[in-house]
Amino acid sequence: MSTRNSSLGDRFAEITVIAVTVVALLAGWACKTSVETRSIAFEADGITAQTPAGWLQAEPAGDEILHTNDFSNAGFGTTYILRKMPLAEGTTAAQIASLLTLERAQNLTAFRVLEQREVTVYGRTAYEVTYVFVESNPDLTHADIPSVVRGVDYIFINGDHALAATYWAEENDFEMGLGRFHLFLESLTF
Amino acid sequence: MPESKPLRERAHIWRDEFLLIASLIVFVGIVYALDNALQPAFTPSTLLLTGVFLALVPSVIWLMFFYVQDRLEPEPKHFVLGVFAIGALLAAAIGMPLVENVYRVSHWLYADTVTTILGGILVVGFVQEFLKYAAVRYSIYHSEEFDEPTDGVIYATAAGLGYAAVLNIQFVVSNGGVDLGAGVIRMAVVALAQASFSGITGYFLGRAKFESEKIWWMPLGITLAAVANGLFNWLRGRVVQTGVSLSGGSVNSWLGLALAAVMALAITGIILGLVRRSIRSAQAAK
Amino acid sequence: MRSTKFNRFWFMLTVLAIAALACYGNNPPVQPTTPNPPVNPQNIGDSNDGLSQSERLQLISATVQIFGLFDNNGELVPGYTGSGTIISSTGMILTNAHVASPASQGDVENEPKSLGIALVESEDRPPTPSYFAQVLAVDGYLDLAVIQITSTVDGANIDTSSLNLPYVSLGDSDQIHVGDHVNIFGFPGIGGDTITYTDGNVSGFTSEEQIGDRAWVKTDATIAGGNSGGLAADDSGRIIGVPTQASSGGSGEVTDCRQIQDTNKDGIINENDSCIPIGGFINALRPVNLALPLIKAAQSGQQYSSPFGSNVISTSGSGSESFSNMTWYSVSGGSECKLGEPVSSYPSNTAAMAATFDFSGMTDGQEWAELWTADGQEVYSGSYAWTEGESGQSYTCIYATDGSLADGNYRLQLYAGADLPQLAESSVVVGGGSSGTNPPPASNGVAIYGTVTDADTGRTISDAQVFILQPGITYDQWSSANYPESNVYAYALTDANGGYEIPLSIARNEEYTIVASAQGYYDRYGDLLVWTDEDPDRYQLDIQMTK
């Protein structure tokens, strides 16, 4: 007796199991993607975007028009910020980048610029500044390890104002969350 | 259809299953009581070692029953152990990396109820159930030692317990050792659940080998196991936690253990009934 | 047979894994572009008869961009830019007085709180802000200043002796002649922000009564406005002068100044905003020899006082200044501060407030200052040159830049006189405390604290968030509104030991929803919980989470 020679039906059954599993895993991936890219519409000051759903919508401060962060994230909550800054004619994105950089250097701990360059983001010219800083709870009684946060600013010049789109994420999550941020950038209209 | 030996009910297999459930609960009770009574002071490393040891206990209990009782027609022990090891290896090498690092379920699975159920079935359920199926299907399935439908349940349970052992060891290690009282409940739940789900797969595997089943038979088995897997995890989450009140937000892990025991009993009972029925109909046909 | 099955199994798994991984591998949507071409490409890399390439690189790396930084509600906001030249390895920088300290030319309002220094790391990129600097010596009349790098941008103090910055040696401006070649480096602030090089020849000299024959070196080089304070070097690579707006010498007027940012946050860009000197062109160099006294004073740590008439705050006052009779007024017209009626307090959501005061014994040109505080925190402060005459009535006001002033106890203090003693103060309440949105006094409330643990491991969870929502709001209402922070009454993050304490105490007999959230766990919440009068002031609420 030999049970090693599997029948044709047996082989088909084996393949269908794999096929069903692959289909399920692909559907699971779609499920993951749809949850992670779930968006809500944002509109303020003539600027629209799709921002991640399920994130905390913080009160915009100063020239911010959007400040949203993923509060359920362990460590530093991934944050998107949109700032709208009025400008005079002829001001360049690089100038705004320098201004933002100085402001950040003053307000953030261990702030360092990693890279700055001119880029094209979904067809728009922008100035990109990548940087890191350390986020620690200002409460001295809060016994916790500070987070290393990586940030990137995209500065767009649009007529009489500049728009700065900012992405902050814990260093370890930065790359993983970048795709989501690019979706946000893609949805941005102004 | 390959020729096979006469089909028999092998009562001790089923007794083993029920004994496993009962003894797991007893085991949990003992560890929990000891932990509470003695309040043992562990160093981090001994806590870790104790945790890893406890993580293996459910599998050892089942294997022990199996070894002691299966005297009449002993399954080759090393095959059962081998399938157990393959289940464990697949869990460690593919299952957990896929679920945690590729799918990163902790980042999105708890977003809402629909996602929890859907993701639990499609990702966690299918990964786990397929790998446990694969542990049997691509090792012992075509051997002469897999010689009757009940063997499907035995080997699949072994694979499930192997998977559970790795899940539990990872649970202990990634938390750097766990509170023994609380942790042992979780381990028993995982072991019961994994053994039960692969019991479903095992039943379908056994039938698939010895009866000509339709092409959708085996996919149906995996899917059922995956659905049971996803639904159970969601249900357990619902059962153990109530709303936060003024007295705080506690989690009643014992309810989760009770749910796991009831589910394991139900699944084992149903499979037992199905196997008996198919054996009778086979005998009647002769 | 079996081995082929195994192969197929692994093949399928590989396909599966690749399919899963492929989802990560999108094309990057962000593509770098080539940098802007420099403004005067024909000049860069030109083999002129002057500086060698390595000398030029040395000069480029010693030229810095200077930012004037202003305090805006605790944030430092850049208001203008200029250029400067590093003249010592320890971080001493020569620049214009109107860049380093506008107050030295009488422009007290535009005096920055701090100076930011940006260094060139690569000539085809904008300079990187790296340091903060302080003024060591300034001469408003000459429009020259020496500043010193004091700390890194993140606030760390610097051991200047180990800075080891590239610097430019001083030349001798008395030894230059008409027709000599000059090389000018700076950050013009128009047409790109990379360092810009222009060159030309000395076309003549201009005298000034107080200074002498070589008050100015004229040049035919085109110098954009933002080059103010930058570097003019001879062909030996030594600094011979500072490109300076010639008309600004002594007059105190910065004509090459342009407002590009809404620095006072009144919503419009106008002459009230601080400006960046970028427009226009300048064609004169302040000879470096005139800066020698400043550099000496700065190096030796001595106080420098200009031998030329300073036009800052022109007088220290009469010594008999008096402010009195402060009265609060309602204000209309927002930033225009039109006075309305006298008031004893302001309601919530007040947009602006003003106080009148009587003054006497004042002298035009003397310094006076105001300090506004709310609940002890500084809201606004400023010091100015007096322009209102000897006696009479004046007023000052503040207004909210974003809607309304926060409720609180406001106090205005006025200062004038030789060492700016406080002459008058008055307090007023905004919001009266009766508003429904105000949290009740803490002594009456309940402080919530506790620990968040993993039910399955018994271990504490750090980085879990515990929210208390505004009274009456349920979890479902909050989540269906997409989690607005405005629905959050207060929240806390658990520390490394899983402990949290809600920073605001909550009112008794109100309905609060509590929400706990941590990555990889089910959210837990309790809707509309009520703490009654019987509950203790500190209430422990422990929360277990499960996966």
Side-chain angles (χ1 to χ4, degrees), chain A residues 38, chain B residues 109-120 230 234 238, chain C residues 522:
Chain A
R38 208 176 277 173
Chain B
L109 193 63
Y110 303 97
D112 56 70
T113 306
V114 176
T115 307
T116 306
I117 296 175
L118 219 56
W234 166 74
R238 286 298 297 262
Chain C
Y522 293 102

Side-chain angles (χ1 to χ4, degrees), chain C residues 293-308:
Chain C
L294 285 98
I295 297 169
K296 252 181 216 138
Q299 277 170 339
S300 59
Q302 287 165 348
Q303 184 75 34
Y304 175 84
S305 60
S306 173
F308 314 101

Side-chain angles (χ1 to χ4, degrees), chain A residues 117-190:
Chain A
R117 56 182 184 162
E118 202 166 275
V119 295
T120 306
V121 182
Y122 294 108
R124 290 194 191 97
T125 303
Y127 198 77
E128 180 194 75
V129 184
T130 313
Y131 48 89
V132 285
F133 60 93
V134 170
E135 171 81 9
S136 65
N137 196 311
D139 178 2
L140 290 179
T141 64
H142 191 94
D144 212 352
I145 297 168
S147 303
V148 174
V149 179
R150 190 189 283 246
V152 62
D153 290 341
Y154 288 99
I155 296 146
F156 304 93
I157 298 290
N158 184 33
D160 63 346
H161 65 266
L163 195 68
T166 299
Y167 165 54
W168 286 346
E170 178 116 12
E171 171 69 8
N172 292 334
D173 299 334
F174 185 87
E175 290 293 334
M176 280 289 188
L178 202 54
R180 180 71 191 83
F181 180 67
H182 286 157
L183 281 183
F184 170 74
L185 281 182
E186 192 177 14
S187 73
L188 199 58
T189 67
F190 51 85

Side-chain angles (χ1 to χ4, degrees), chain B residues 30-45:
Chain B
I30 291 170
V31 174
Y32 194 86
L34 279 179
D35 185 50
N36 269 359
L38 302 177
Q39 304 276 345
F42 288 106
T43 66
S45 51

Side-chain angles (χ1 to χ4, degrees), chain A residues 25, chain B residues 86-105 123-132 163 166-167 170, chain C residues 9-10 13 16:
Chain A
L25 288 181
Chain B
I86 293 173
L89 280 175
L90 285 176
I94 301 175
M96 293 193 313
L98 194 59
V99 168
E100 276 161 31
N101 301 338
V102 177
Y103 276 89
R104 293 171 36 115
V105 292
V123 178
V124 183
F126 263 96
V127 168
Q128 293 184 346
E129 299 315 323
F130 176 79
L131 289 176
K132 290 185 287 182
Y163 206 106
V166 169
L167 284 182
Q170 194 259 356
Chain C
F9 169 62
W10 289 115
L13 269 177
L16 193 69

Side-chain angles (χ1 to χ4, degrees), chain B residues 228-253:
Chain B
N229 190 324
L231 283 179
F232 171 77
N233 284 326
W234 166 74
L235 200 60
R236 188 197 143 273
R238 286 298 297 262
V239 165
V240 297
Q241 37 179 358
T242 50
V244 175
S245 69
L246 285 192
S247 52
S250 59
V251 166
N252 193 340
S253 303

